[in-house]
Amino acid sequence: MSESLSDCTEPRAAVTEAGAEALVHGISFKTGPPRLLGVELEWLVHELRRPQLPVAPERLGAVHAALRTAPLTSLFTVEPGGQLELSSPPAASLAECVDTVSADLRTVRAVLREDGLRLVGIGHDPWQPPRRFLREPRYDAMEACLDRTGPAGRAMMCTSASVQVCLDAGYEEPGPLGLGRRWWLAHQLGAVLMAAFANSPMAGGRPTGWRSTRQLRWVEIGPGRAGGPDLDAEPREAWTRHVLDSPVMCVRGDGDGPWHVPDGLTFREWTRSGLPRPPTREDLDYHLTTLFPPVRPRGHLELRMLDAQPGEDGWIVPLAVTTALFDDPQAAETAYRAVKPLAERTRAGRAPTNRLWLDAARYGLADPELHEVAVACFVAALEALPRLGADRRITDAVASYLNRYVFRGRCPADDLLDRLCGADRRPYGKDITS
């Protein structure tokens, strides 16, 4: 579903400030009727029978090699810490996307089982410290850049996993399926979805006090790298300004040598100074991939705020609920009205560092207002799924999640905490401690 700048332009030509603005403005949102969707699933890899033990790099490498020859429809890639990612091809329906990825996951799990390994759906590794598996110049540069704000960057690179839902940007015109509405809704509803699917309450074998420690890591990385743009401006204008005024992670080098990691150089400043060398269109394309906002426009909208989910099919629920709340006009209107009162909490800052996003990450659905909105949105999504052609497998999974978690003001993180700490934990408003 993505389209890079280099697909449409000569990548090695130098780019000016005005040229960069025009390119980002023109390619980041591709409007039209919402008709395609996709999902990107990141997974931790653990020992099948001893999940608290680290997996040797040699075993990870052997599994990756085997998967590269497996008959997969989805794109298979490896994250810096050895996490596995499957990126579905664009699908014309929710059912098609679920069927394609489910078949690929069966293949992946079979390969891993042969070596005593398994996929684990948790947003942040509960036990292992960050250990980088991939040793490449770009990841060396990423690590050096992120280290400037503390250890959160290494945790994000090596111990986190997510469910990322990809949806079309929507119509150019106003309305529940219009670009402006979907862009705004993604940043408000995104906090509710993040709270409902929070599944990373631990690090280093201990509770962190956050239902989504993965989201906490994004906050700690800082708004220059992981923050969203201003929502009061038109989406294209806001995103273009955000891209050019965000710091450059690195200046790519030739060959296998190290990449230069500037300190605080924005892409706009780079186009003006031309130092250490003039930026190219290919550099702009790469710069876009080094920005990690909770919602990233890549022609389509990439919703990046959801923790990886437990169970073999847990990923289906956030995919189905998110798709329904954006692509069904009736459900989208219900979600829009439900989340509007939450906007008061976003006035002090942009996602993910404003009060709404911080409360969602810390408390999940134990926050009463988030709980109320989540119930309304999940009920609307469940009612919309048959209209989107969802089969019984999908609707039953969403109904089960609604009853097990959402109605009860819980999220998967609460299950992990109950197992570790027992049911007697501090209520909403207090930090969770062991």
Side-chain angles (χ1 to χ4, degrees), residues 1-3 30-39 88-97 165-171 177 182 298-303 319 322-324 326-328 388:
M1 295 179 71
S2 64
E3 184 174 4
K30 294 296 186 181
T31 52
R35 61 186 183 87
L36 297 177
L37 67 146
V39 68
S88 75
S93 70
L94 177 60
E96 177 188 331
C97 186
V165 180
C166 300
L167 301 169
D168 280 329
Y171 289 100
L177 301 185
R182 287 163 76 87
R298 301 182 63 191
H300 59 278
L301 301 182
E302 182 183 79
L303 280 69
L319 171 63
T322 305
T323 300
F326 279 85
D327 285 1
D328 179 83
L388 295 176

Side-chain angles (χ1 to χ4, degrees), residues 39 41 43 72-74 86 88-89 94-110 119 312-316 319 391 393-394:
V39 68
L41 302 179
W43 300 88
L72 301 175
T73 302
S74 302
L86 288 180
S88 75
L94 177 60
E96 177 188 331
C97 186
V98 169
D99 288 345
T100 297
V101 178
S102 295
D104 286 340
L105 284 171
R106 287 193 292 270
T107 300
V108 171
R109 289 192 172 99
L119 298 178
E312 292 194 358
D313 297 330
W315 60 274
I316 293 175
L319 171 63
D391 56 28
R393 173 190 177 189
I394 297 173

